[in-house]
Amino acid sequence: MKKALLLGAALNLVFAGAAFADITIGVAGPMTGQYASFGEQLKIGAEQAVKDINAKGGVNGEMLKLSVGDDACDPKQAVAVANSFAGEGVTFVAGHFCSGSSIPASQVYADEQIVQISPASTNPDFTDKRPGDGVFRVCGRDDQQGEVAGNYIAKNFPDAKVAIINDKTAYGKGLADQTQKFFEEAGGKPVLTEAYTAGEKDYTSLVTKMKQAGVTLVYIGGYHTEAGLMARQMREQGMDTTIMSGDALVTDEYWAITGDAGAGTLMTFSPDPRQNAEAKPVVEALEVEGKTAEGYVLYTYAAIQAWADAANKAGSTDYDPIVKALDEGTFDTVIGSLEFDDKGDVTLPGYVMYEWKDGKYAQLN
């Protein structure tokens, strides 16, 4: 009888442990390095999503546990992070940030049957050439963003002398190429196209070349750190050139670099999700903790929301049921009600234009 009681107690512990086992999910991005402000955005969004989902009972009755991966926007490091996640038994990854990281990492996730939803990787190849059907994104694409930017330049700056430059990364070059394509299709022609090296501190020679060419608008395919330095160095050389770029400028760190030199900078980004009614409680909760919902915070939150909803609908966190649920479902998130098309791209409004002014970015009417 005593043995039976002990066996029963042991079985109860086993089943209790199974009932309350954690589900490990990952978030990956540049947690260190010059783009760490974006990694922080992803981390803040992921932590808040996990906190809120667990407060509501978790996923299929199990609590979520978050693992954070630092890829520093480096392709090799991104692959190492993906392999590390696989070793941890991660079932889902919200990430990565840089397209140059998300694309190589996606091969690992496809091989290991890990669902990946990027909050921020916009290069078309990420989904056009995805290695498996478990690769998705909740942000737009560079061809959508480039179309808005290229047409905006042609329409609003018809007499401008335009330079289009890029940092040679998958994101920066892809965005600049798409912007140039649509600008030229609208009848424009850049007076200068150049590539620069990310991570440098002195862009004087490039700025001088633009000044000599009489450039009045420069489109920068790249990240906020280099764009911010160029803005300062252009103003130092007396250039009042209009600066335009993409969604990699959606961080307060851009203004911290430029100061007033960043005033008037234009950038494309999706309609601000902070204005959504569904996002209000999340935004307020973050503000109470002294955090911001800028940039890709809410996109990361939404990626985890969509995955969790799909898991609950599927009644499983296994790869195939989750992918099927993501393919077929509609998901109410902080960035809006969304679905995924047959490529894994999100069906949400595309891009609008923003302007930096007085240390903040605001959508233009």
Side-chain angles (χ1 to χ4, degrees):
M1 185 68 171
K2 188 174 182 181
K3 288 183 179 179
L5 288 171
L6 288 171
L7 179 60
L11 286 172
N12 284 337
L13 285 171
V14 170
F15 288 123
F20 294 99
D22 289 332
I23 302 168
T24 303
I25 66 171
V27 61
M31 303 302 161
T32 59
Q34 61 180 336
Y35 308 131
S37 61
F38 289 110
E40 182 68 8
Q41 290 178 9
L42 270 60
K43 183 170 177 281
I44 288 171
E47 288 175 340
Q48 190 65 39
V50 166
K51 180 180 178 181
D52 291 347
I53 290 168
N54 284 344
K56 295 177 181 178
V59 172
N60 295 322
E62 296 179 324
M63 297 294 102
L64 298 182
K65 178 183 176 183
L66 184 66
S67 181
V68 180
D70 177 18
D71 64 23
C73 271
D74 176 78
K76 290 182 180 179
Q77 197 163 322
V79 170
V81 167
N83 282 313
S84 178
F85 280 155
E88 292 180 52
V90 165
T91 59
F92 161 70
V93 174
H96 296 219
F97 174 74
C98 292
S99 296
S101 292
S102 281
I103 291 171
S106 69
Q107 184 64 62
V108 178
Y109 298 135
D111 292 343
E112 298 292 339
Q113 302 279 276
I114 297 170
V115 174
Q116 176 189 15
I117 304 178
S118 174
S121 292
T122 55
N123 189 289
D125 283 352
F126 176 61
T127 49
D128 286 355
K129 299 179 181 179
R130 66 178 181 166
D133 55 5
V135 177
F136 303 85
R137 62 175 143 207
V138 290
C139 59
R141 297 163 50 108
D142 288 338
D143 43 5
Q144 297 170 329
Q145 195 167 184
E147 182 176 8
V148 171
N151 287 334
Y152 189 92
I153 296 169
K155 179 181 178 181
N156 294 280
F157 298 89
D159 301 320
K161 289 187 176 181
V162 177
I164 298 179
I165 62 177
N166 76 84
D167 66 359
K168 297 180 278 192
T169 66
Y171 165 74
K173 186 177 187 306
L175 186 55
D177 287 350
Q178 290 294 332
T179 299
Q180 182 174 344
K181 171 190 170 185
F182 286 102
F183 176 56
E184 291 178 345
E185 286 180 358
K189 184 174 177 60
V191 298
L192 181 70
T193 57
E194 286 282 337
Y196 62 91
T197 301
E200 294 185 351
K201 302 298 183 185
D202 186 0
Y203 294 100
T204 304
S205 60
L206 176 57
V207 170
T208 299
K209 186 177 286 189
M210 289 192 286
K211 185 175 182 179
Q212 290 173 344
V215 171
T216 57
L217 184 148
V218 56
Y219 185 88
I220 303 174
Y223 294 89
H224 70 288
T225 46
E226 291 80 12
L229 290 172
M230 288 181 202
R232 283 171 46 188
Q233 290 165 24
M234 280 191 278
R235 302 306 180 236
E236 288 167 2
Q237 289 202 32
M239 298 177 67
D240 59 359
T241 302
T242 299
I243 299 165
M244 183 185 290
S245 191
D247 57 302
L249 266 61
V250 288
T251 167
D252 290 342
E253 198 171 280
Y254 176 69
W255 192 268
I257 295 169
T258 66
D260 290 340
T265 297
L266 302 173
M267 68 176 185
T268 46
F269 187 50
S270 301
D272 194 341
R274 292 177 293 186
Q275 306 305 317
N276 295 338
E278 297 84 352
K280 187 177 179 182
V282 179
V283 173
E284 291 177 346
L286 289 171
E287 288 176 345
V288 166
E289 296 181 12
K291 299 175 182 177
T292 176
E294 69 170 349
Y296 284 101
V297 170
L298 294 175
Y299 285 82
T300 309
Y301 190 105
I304 296 174
Q305 272 188 305
W307 173 83
D309 194 2
N312 283 324
K313 288 176 180 177
S316 171
T317 56
D318 290 344
Y319 183 82
D320 288 335
I322 290 280
V323 169
K324 186 174 187 292
L326 288 169
D327 284 340
E328 297 176 355
T330 300
F331 307 96
D332 294 325
T333 75
V334 291
I335 62 173
S337 179
L338 60 86
E339 298 175 354
F340 296 101
D341 65 17
D342 57 4
K343 288 183 177 181
D345 287 323
V346 72
T347 56
L348 280 174
Y351 290 88
V352 293
M353 194 64 66
Y354 289 78
E355 182 180 16
W356 274 96
K357 185 179 180 181
D358 297 329
K360 298 179 181 179
Y361 59 87
Q363 184 176 328
L364 296 176
N365 295 328

